[in-house]
Amino acid sequence: MIEQLYATPIYNAIVKDYQVLNYHIDKVLDRVNFNHKDEWGATHYLSTDFAVGTTDNIIKELGLHKVSKEIDNHLRKYINELNGDDRFHQTTEMVDYDVRSWFSMFKKGNYAHIHHHGDADISGVYYYRTNKKDGNLFFTSPNIHLETTRCYMRFGEVWEHHPEEGKIMLFPGWLKHGVRTNTTEDTRISLSFNIYFKHKR
């Protein structure tokens, strides 16, 4: 028997009736100012520059309450699957957390360099607009030693995910990831967010 130790749990699901969420985003997206982050160069466009002292919560700023509720719903599913017991499920009903959120826009030639989200407990992305071919999200292995031998090499390979409208993904904030270059003529827009728990176990 082989036991898989130290797994990195990635959550993904298609949001039920995601067209409703997209409708609400449609109504406010023209209020978003997209710009490059200076120190990153012309990699992709963001709705915030992450300057110190800013709230960086575009969901709250635009009043996207249905989006917030849907993220909370999937967040609790993710937490419950991670812990797998009813006791923690009851605890999560009282868990409070802060959210930072922003829109990302990828035009032709745009990409996201490999990075992590610092001290965020959980990070996530919701795909609002995509043609499924405009740049895969990819994760790199947190265990750099897996590639040192042929036995474990395949466990250290880069894992890629194709974007799809209505899909939400959740993953540890410390997990390094990036986005492949958009080589299509279409523009992709996604909503990224970080979760910071106020009361940790």
Side-chain angles (χ1 to χ4, degrees):
M1 180 179 77
I2 293 179
E3 296 184 35
Q4 298 288 352
L5 299 180
Y6 312 121
T8 304
I10 308 296
Y11 174 96
N12 72 82
I14 298 295
V15 171
K16 184 179 180 182
D17 299 325
Y18 68 86
Q19 294 88 347
V20 175
L21 295 190
N22 289 357
Y23 170 75
H24 287 277
I25 295 174
D26 288 340
K27 293 195 299 183
V28 297
L29 195 61
D30 61 351
R31 292 165 49 191
V32 177
N33 294 317
F34 287 98
N35 292 292
H36 293 299
K37 184 173 172 62
D38 290 340
E39 50 265 54
W40 293 352
T43 55
H44 60 290
Y45 299 83
L46 297 161
S47 63
T48 179
D49 61 1
F50 300 102
V52 176
T54 59
T55 58
D56 294 335
N57 191 351
I58 198 70
I59 294 173
K60 183 177 181 180
E61 182 180 331
L62 298 179
L64 293 169
H65 306 299
K66 289 186 180 295
V67 174
S68 179
K69 185 176 180 180
E70 197 63 48
I71 288 174
D72 183 79
N73 176 45
H74 288 275
L75 173 63
R76 293 179 188 281
K77 287 182 179 179
Y78 179 46
I79 293 172
N80 292 333
E81 288 187 27
L82 284 177
N83 290 270
D85 63 63
D86 292 335
R87 178 179 55 82
F88 192 78
H89 173 76
Q90 293 169 0
T91 304
T92 59
E93 297 302 321
M94 297 176 288
V95 165
D96 196 10
Y97 56 86
D98 290 323
V99 178
R100 297 181 75 188
S101 62
W102 62 96
F103 280 107
S104 298
M105 182 168 67
F106 294 79
K107 296 183 178 182
K108 185 176 182 179
N110 288 164
Y111 65 95
H113 60 279
I114 297 176
H115 64 286
H116 59 75
H117 289 188
D119 59 348
D121 290 295
I122 296 174
S123 295
V125 60
Y126 171 75
Y127 292 102
Y128 160 69
R129 181 185 299 164
T130 175
N131 63 17
K132 299 184 180 181
K133 300 178 181 178
D134 41 23
N136 289 349
L137 172 68
F138 67 91
F139 297 100
T140 62
S141 173
N143 186 348
I144 61 174
H145 305 293
L146 289 171
E147 297 182 356
T148 60
T149 70
R150 292 183 179 179
C151 289
Y152 307 106
M153 188 176 296
R154 73 180 183 88
F155 296 106
E157 294 175 350
V158 171
W159 184 88
E160 299 209 12
H161 165 78
H162 297 281
E164 182 178 352
E165 285 188 10
K167 178 163 282 190
I168 186 171
M169 297 192 67
L170 300 168
F171 51 90
W174 48 258
L175 183 61
K176 288 190 175 182
H177 57 285
V179 179
R180 299 297 186 194
T181 301
N182 180 2
T183 60
T184 75
E185 299 296 331
D186 295 328
T187 295
R188 187 181 78 234
I189 298 178
S190 55
L191 175 67
S192 298
F193 51 91
N194 285 335
I195 304 296
Y196 301 86
F197 291 114
K198 293 183 179 179
H199 304 288
K200 301 179 182 179
R201 291 184 73 191

